[in-house]
Amino acid sequence: SSLTTDLIAAIQKYTPVKRYYLGLGSGDLGRKIGQIPVVGSWIENLLKQRATTTRTKGKKIPGVMTALVVYFFSLRRFCSYLKMRRALKAGITVITDRYPQAEIAGQCDGPGLSAAKAGNRFVSWLVRSEAALYQRMASFQPDLVLRLDVDPETAHARKPDHDIEALRIKSEIMQHLTFGGAHMEVIDATRPYKAVWKDIVRLVQPYLTVDLASNQK
């Protein structure tokens, strides 16, 4: 997020640019719920358990309400995606924080309902409908995907409120994602911020008409 903010600040001096968050935001919401006095921690743990079950292959989606909540977050992501497409059509440079993929379900911005088993016909319809949304989003390839490669231990040290095992799973999955064959550059994000920033400026430069590096000196 910090890199996205700084990149937009650098580019918007010369050309219109917009940022779109294409993640779900469910994790941040859960942590906010956890801060509610007395019952917050209990509710957060319950939500985590149901979310984990829904993301696990071979498990059963725990009820219609859970499926509806997951579907709602996917719809919200799809709305952000449509706004992004409209900005691109208007000739605006777009930078996204996260990007949906349809290769692996249940993790790393993939379909939330396609990993576990549906319990009834209505949930099955939600699963198919959500999968179609992700197929549509993933079919549009970004010009450039910047994958910040960081080991789980370093990621946990930077964000200790995140579960280390979940970070290990995500780190492994990210090694296999192709985002539909989009041009991807992998950046070693374990290094200091300035070194990572220098690489990002170099990699986005071919997509800009202004010499971003020289204008920051």
Side-chain angles (χ1 to χ4, degrees):
S1 296
S2 298
L3 288 165
T4 302
T5 299
D6 288 347
L7 186 58
I8 288 176
I11 296 175
Q12 68 183 3
K13 298 176 183 178
Y14 314 104
T15 188
V17 59
K18 282 190 176 182
R19 171 191 182 273
Y20 288 93
Y21 178 69
L22 295 184
L24 290 178
S26 56
D28 290 337
L29 178 60
R31 284 184 282 274
K32 289 179 181 179
I33 291 174
Q35 297 172 2
I36 298 174
V38 185
V39 299
S41 180
W42 177 81
I43 296 175
E44 181 185 14
N45 288 332
L46 178 63
L47 293 174
K48 282 183 178 180
Q49 291 173 6
R50 294 193 173 188
T52 299
T53 300
T54 303
R55 293 195 303 264
T56 304
K57 187 176 182 179
K59 295 288 187 177
K60 181 181 176 182
I61 298 173
V64 173
M65 186 56 65
T66 298
L68 283 171
V69 169
V70 174
Y71 188 77
F72 165 78
F73 277 107
S74 292
L75 277 180
R76 193 169 71 163
R77 169 182 267 164
F78 184 67
C79 288
S80 296
Y81 162 82
L82 291 178
K83 291 178 182 178
M84 176 204 72
R85 292 294 304 272
R86 286 196 291 270
L88 286 172
K89 289 182 179 179
I92 298 173
T93 299
V94 167
I95 297 174
T96 72
D97 186 349
R98 314 276 284 271
Y99 203 83
Q101 52 87 15
E103 300 166 54
I104 299 176
Q107 297 286 346
C108 299
D109 301 306
L113 295 174
S114 296
K117 299 177 182 178
N120 56 55
R121 290 184 179 179
F122 178 65
V123 175
S124 295
W125 179 85
L126 290 176
V127 172
R128 294 193 300 272
S129 178
E130 186 203 45
L133 292 179
Y134 277 83
Q135 288 290 344
R136 180 174 172 182
M137 289 186 286
S139 67
F140 183 78
Q141 292 184 355
D143 294 313
L144 174 65
V145 175
L146 296 175
R147 195 187 88 199
L148 302 180
D149 200 25
V150 59
D151 61 272
E153 289 70 29
T154 300
H156 189 255
R158 293 173 177 174
K159 294 186 176 182
D161 58 332
H162 286 56
D163 181 70
I164 183 65
E165 289 304 320
L167 290 173
R168 289 191 178 110
I169 293 172
K170 290 178 180 178
S171 178
E172 173 62 25
I173 291 174
M174 286 301 297
Q175 308 301 316
H176 304 287
L177 291 178
T178 67
F179 292 94
H183 179 199
M184 182 189 302
E185 296 285 352
V186 180
I187 300 173
D188 179 5
T190 62
R191 298 171 300 157
Y193 187 91
K194 288 185 177 179
V196 176
W197 171 251
K198 185 177 180 180
D199 275 354
I200 286 180
V201 170
R202 173 178 58 82
L203 291 169
V204 302
Q205 184 59 67
Y207 301 90
L208 302 173
T209 57
V210 62
D211 189 345
L212 195 60
S214 63
N215 279 278
Q216 293 185 78
K217 293 179 181 180

